[in-house]
Amino acid sequence: MDKYMQAALDEARQGLAEGGIPIGSVLVHRGRILGRGHNRRVQSGSTVLHGEMDALENAGRQPASVYRDCVLYTTLSPCPMCSGAILLYGIPSVVVGENRTFMGEEALLRSRGVDVEVLQSKDCIDMMTAFIEASPELWNEDIGE
């Protein structure tokens, strides 16, 4: 596993240890992590702090030229909200840990020119599968069901 996906996975594990939903993300610019985050909806009582949104928030304000030269790593396929942020900021590349437990808006991202690479990481799949089985109500809340 490359070091950036490992960093996203570490974030997901941290979120799980905090009692939250195990989804992590990092925003990388030219080999440097600008922001890292994990789903903190439960911990913060937030409606929007998915892993990708938390990583973007923690990266702070950046010029458009920086976002257009970034790669976003996320342990799970991005939902419509997170995909909208990717499109809004013009992030050209997303590396997804897995999309077997949840298929986000990958087709939308690709249709708008975003390069989406899906790894099907066993670690990511196993973590989300176990979480969904253990906490189906919380998971359904997170994805709006």
Side-chain angles (χ1 to χ4, degrees):
M1 179 176 299
D2 92 8
K3 66 182 179 180
Y4 304 117
M5 184 54 69
Q6 184 62 57
L9 188 57
D10 291 345
E11 285 291 325
R13 288 181 176 135
Q14 181 179 342
L16 184 62
E18 294 170 357
I21 299 164
I23 303 167
S25 184
V26 295
L27 182 68
V28 178
H29 179 254
R30 297 183 182 178
R32 182 174 148 256
I33 295 176
L34 293 180
R36 57 181 68 229
H38 52 274
N39 187 306
R40 294 188 314 123
R41 289 185 65 249
V42 172
Q43 301 91 310
S44 298
S46 171
T47 59
V48 296
L49 280 181
H50 281 189
E52 301 90 336
M53 303 298 277
D54 194 37
L56 287 167
E57 178 72 14
N58 290 327
R61 290 176 58 197
Q62 301 293 328
S65 61
V66 170
Y67 292 118
R68 288 192 301 261
D69 196 26
C70 281
V71 179
L72 183 73
Y73 289 78
T74 181
T75 58
L76 188 64
S77 185
C79 75
M81 175 179 65
C82 297
S83 294
I86 291 164
L87 295 174
L88 176 66
Y89 292 108
I91 298 169
S93 183
V94 178
V95 179
V96 176
E98 66 102 350
N99 64 8
R100 290 187 185 163
T101 61
F102 176 79
M103 173 59 78
E105 296 297 324
E106 294 173 26
L108 171 65
L109 292 171
R110 288 185 178 107
S111 78
R112 299 282 298 273
V114 177
D115 177 47
V116 178
E117 178 184 358
V118 181
L119 303 178
Q120 300 303 12
S121 160
K122 182 176 179 348
D123 290 335
C124 293
I125 293 167
D126 290 349
M127 182 174 49
M128 281 308 301
T129 299
F131 176 78
I132 292 167
E133 288 174 4
S135 303
E137 299 85 13
L138 184 56
W139 170 243
N140 286 332
E141 175 192 320
D142 195 63
I143 60 172
E145 291 187 8

